[in-house]
Amino acid sequence: MKFMITGKNIALTDALRDTVERKLGKLDKYFGPEVEVHVTLGVQKTNQTIEVTIPFNGVILRGEETTGDMYSSIDNVVEKLERQIIKHKTKLEKRIHEGTLRFTDVPRYNEEDKEPQVVRTKRFAIKPMDVEEAILQMDLLGHNFFVFQNSDSEEVNVVYKRKDGNYGLIEPEF
């Protein structure tokens, strides 16, 4: 695995860089040597965040953890990524055939844990509105996302609340 480590509001010391490479190196048993791992370490007030993105063969494996200690965040994100690999092993096996992900090293997923499933379907009328009105509607409803028809483009869009308190807009391309 090739590591691309960047920092936001943090000095990347050799010790921190070595820890990231050593801890994430545990995932090396699942991937070939050509797979790139993009790691972003960041500090915002007292929050220590690590974001890890592993793109391979059209699939993107991603994990993000925030704690008060960067080393705890690193440990937590490694566990999260390993759980994702184990949980989605069969889905990934069907999709990936070129051997980038090594499945012989992936333990079996405990099938007693039920897969999430759709338990409710909701239908609603979509009213044309601009992005600001959609954000207002979302806030009034107390939701963290809102689906609407954009009055400017006449396309179905989604606004959502980001972890940093700002908003995001999803505009599909057909």
Side-chain angles (χ1 to χ4, degrees):
M1 290 171 44
K2 300 174 191 170
F3 293 95
M4 317 275 272
I5 303 173
T6 57
K8 292 181 181 175
N9 302 327
I10 187 172
L12 286 176
T13 62
D14 288 337
L16 196 55
R17 187 180 297 272
D18 290 343
T19 301
V20 168
E21 290 180 6
R22 184 172 38 85
K23 297 281 186 167
L24 288 172
K26 293 177 183 177
L27 301 177
D28 196 27
K29 62 185 175 186
Y30 301 123
F31 300 100
E34 71 284 350
V35 172
E36 288 186 356
V37 179
H38 302 275
V39 180
T40 304
L41 304 172
V43 176
Q44 194 173 31
K45 295 184 181 177
T46 61
N47 294 330
Q48 311 273 325
T49 302
I50 180 171
E51 298 174 18
V52 179
T53 306
I54 307 172
F56 61 97
N57 289 5
V59 176
I60 297 176
L61 191 62
R62 185 175 184 287
E64 179 179 339
E65 279 296 322
T66 302
T67 64
D69 177 47
M70 184 59 77
Y71 294 99
S72 297
S73 296
I74 294 168
D75 290 338
N76 292 347
V77 81
V78 170
E79 290 174 16
K80 180 184 270 189
L81 289 169
E82 196 158 29
R83 280 194 312 268
Q84 285 180 13
I85 291 170
I86 293 168
K87 184 173 182 179
H88 298 293
K89 173 186 174 185
T90 54
K91 293 176 188 173
L92 292 171
E93 266 181 325
K94 291 176 186 173
R95 187 164 178 188
I96 309 299
H97 300 289
E98 296 176 24
T100 305
L101 191 61
R102 298 183 194 136
F103 291 105
T104 57
D105 297 324
V106 178
R108 291 203 36 88
Y109 177 65
N110 185 359
E111 294 178 14
E112 293 174 6
D113 297 335
K114 293 187 177 183
E115 287 284 324
Q117 53 184 290
V118 177
V119 294
R120 181 177 176 204
T121 301
K122 190 173 185 178
R123 295 184 179 272
F124 58 94
I126 294 181
K127 172 185 147 191
M129 60 181 74
D130 60 19
V131 175
E132 289 75 25
E133 185 179 352
I135 291 171
L136 177 64
Q137 283 290 129
M138 177 182 65
D139 288 340
L140 289 173
L141 291 170
H143 292 170
N144 53 7
F145 72 93
F146 187 76
V147 180
F148 69 103
Q149 181 181 4
N150 193 323
S151 58
D152 297 332
S153 65
E154 297 185 3
E155 297 284 337
V156 174
N157 291 173
V158 177
V159 291
Y160 62 95
K161 192 164 198 127
R162 296 172 44 93
K163 289 181 183 177
D164 62 7
N166 293 313
Y167 299 99
L169 176 67
I170 299 174
E171 297 176 318
E173 290 182 1
F174 296 101

